[in-house]
Amino acid sequence: MSARTPENPAADPAPHRAGFACFVGRPNAGKSTLTNALVGKKVAITSSRPQTTRHTVRGIVHRPDAQLILVDTPGLHKPRTLLGERLNDVVRTTWAEVDVIGFCVPADQKLGPGDKFIAKELAGIRKTPKVAIVTKTDLVDSKQLAEQLIAVDRLGQELGIEWAQIVPVSAVGDQQVSLLSDLLAPMLPESPPLYPEGDLTDEPEMVMVAELIREAALEGVRDELPHSIAVVVEEMIPREDRPKDRPLLDIHANVYIERPSQKGIIIGPKGQRLKDVGMKSRKQIEALLGTPVFLDLHVKVAKDWQRDPKQLRKLGF
C-alpha cells in the first residue's frame, strides 16, 4: 500500500461530492434560465414575466467529481396575497436546508430595494456559503459589468456577508456557466451521488407538464394576467388499442383563472389563443416525454384562488 506523498498525489483520488445549491434573487433575475443552462436541458420554465416559478424545481448536474442538485425557488418579494406569502415561506424553508446559496443579480439593472431585502435575509444565515452570481452579462458592456461586480461586493461588506465567490455569467450566451459549476462543486459535502445517473430533475412528470402548459399560456397574455393562471393536469393515460410503434398519450388539463372576464382573454377570438397554447405546449411536452401526445385543454374559473386557502390547496400550493 503506497502512502500518499507529495511525489505520489494520485494515490488518493479526490472524494466525490454531492449536495444541494439554491439560487435566490428577486423575480426575473435569471434563476430558471441559469438552472436550465447548468443542467443542459429545460427543467424549469422561463418567461419574461416575473413570478413564473412557483414550485422548487430541482435540476441535477452530473459531473465526474460531484453531483450538484439545484433547487430553483420562487422569487422572494413583498407579498400582497396569501399565494405570495406561501411562496416566500417556500423560499425561506429551502434556504435553511441547502449546502450553498447562489444570490442572483442581473447585470443590466442597478441593485434595488428588492436585492437589498433578500441580501439582508441572507446575512442572517450564518453557516451556509454564499456565492454572488451576476447574471445576464451578455446584456451589458465591460464597464457596466465592472460597476455591478463592485456594487455587489460593497453590498456584502455593508451587510457583513462574506461572498465565497462573485461570478459573472451569461446563461443565454453560455459564458462562465461551467466555471460556476466548477466553483460550486467543492462547496458540497463529501457524498456518493444522491440521484441515478440519467435523472435531470425529481419533479413529477405531471407537474412539469402543467408548468409547460402554464408557460405557453403566459406567452400571449403578458400584461393582462401574469399571476392569475394556474394549470392542473387531471390525467395522463396511454391511448388504448394503439400499435406498439405508434403510442399516443392522452393528457387532460385544466387552465384556471380567477374571474369569468379572464376566460375570453385566454381562449382568444374564435378559440385561437387556446389553440396556440395547446400547439406550443404540446411540442414541448412531446420533447420532454419522448412520445406523441393528444392534449385536451379546458379553461375554468376558480374565483380569487390566490387569496383562498381552500382553492390554493386544490391547485397544489
Side-chain angles (χ1 to χ4, degrees):
M1 191 65 190
S2 71
R4 185 173 182 183
T5 62
E7 293 78 25
N8 184 13
D12 190 1
H16 187 277
R17 295 177 178 274
F20 295 83
C22 84
F23 294 143
V24 300
R26 62 188 153 91
N28 216 6
K31 302 181 293 291
S32 298
T33 310
L34 187 56
T35 296
N36 291 338
L38 280 158
V39 174
K41 191 173 173 190
K42 181 169 186 158
V43 291
I45 76 163
T46 56
S47 147
S48 57
R49 301 299 316 157
Q51 273 315 112
T52 347
T53 304
R54 289 184 181 158
H55 296 272
T56 51
V57 175
R58 291 178 177 78
I60 302 163
V61 182
H62 300 273
R63 302 167 47 100
D65 60 336
Q67 190 179 72
L68 176 63
I69 298 140
L70 300 167
V71 184
D72 178 32
T73 58
L76 195 73
H77 59 295
K78 287 217 161 68
R80 286 194 288 275
T81 61
L82 181 61
L83 172 66
E85 284 170 30
R86 294 224 173 141
L87 294 179
N88 278 356
D89 290 344
V90 167
V91 180
R92 292 195 183 99
T93 314
T94 307
W95 292 1
E97 293 167 355
V98 295
D99 301 298
V100 54
I101 296 171
F103 173 51
C104 295
V105 179
D108 62 330
Q109 295 163 33
K110 283 208 167 4
L111 289 183
D115 301 306
K116 289 171 184 161
F117 170 67
I118 293 167
K120 263 201 192 103
E121 295 250 343
L122 289 181
I125 303 168
R126 287 275 171 240
K127 290 196 180 96
T128 315
K130 297 161 206 67
V131 175
I133 304 165
V134 176
T135 59
K136 307 187 187 187
T137 57
D138 52 302
L139 301 180
V140 298
D141 58 25
S142 53
K143 179 175 176 288
Q144 209 178 332
L145 177 57
E147 284 167 3
Q148 189 70 319
L149 292 169
I150 291 165
V152 169
D153 185 40
R154 272 206 195 112
L155 178 65
Q157 288 172 12
E158 277 167 34
L159 297 171
I161 300 172
E162 200 172 312
W163 303 118
Q165 299 278 354
I166 301 177
V167 195
V169 300
S170 163
V172 173
D174 195 20
Q175 291 158 347
Q176 306 235 87
V177 173
S178 55
L179 171 72
L180 177 62
S181 175
D182 292 345
L183 293 171
L184 293 173
M187 298 182 194
L188 305 175
E190 291 181 18
S191 159
L194 302 171
Y195 286 89
E197 179 59 45
D199 288 10
L200 298 179
T201 177
D202 70 350
E203 273 282 55
E205 281 178 347
M206 275 174 121
V207 173
M208 290 186 78
V209 167
E211 290 285 271
L212 289 172
I213 295 168
R214 192 164 67 91
E215 178 178 41
L218 279 167
E219 289 276 293
V221 292
R222 296 230 177 281
D223 302 317
E224 295 122 307
L225 335 163
H227 310 316
S228 303
I229 298 173
V231 176
V232 176
V233 174
E234 297 297 337
E235 57 180 11
M236 290 174 28
I237 37 179
R239 177 84 56 96
E240 286 180 11
D241 307 328
R242 293 284 292 194
K244 273 243 166 30
D245 57 343
R246 289 184 49 231
L248 185 66
L249 185 66
D250 284 317
I251 298 179
H252 301 278
N254 292 325
V255 179
Y256 288 96
I257 51 243
E258 295 198 287
R259 288 187 293 286
S261 60
Q262 297 170 337
K263 217 168 173 173
I265 299 174
I266 287 282
I267 293 170
K270 296 192 176 154
Q272 194 50 52
R273 181 168 276 153
L274 190 62
K275 242 186 229 143
D276 291 348
V277 169
M279 273 163 50
K280 251 194 206 125
S281 54
R282 197 187 75 235
K283 276 193 191 124
Q284 297 264 13
I285 293 164
E286 289 181 338
L288 173 76
L289 302 177
T291 181
V293 160
F294 172 79
L295 182 58
D296 174 40
L297 284 183
H298 293 272
V299 180
K300 298 194 167 182
V301 178
K303 200 168 167 338
D304 291 332
W305 65 264
Q306 293 189 68
R307 292 179 166 76
D308 177 349
K310 216 158 89 201
Q311 300 270 26
L312 279 173
R313 262 201 310 282
K314 187 179 148 195
L315 298 176
F317 297 106

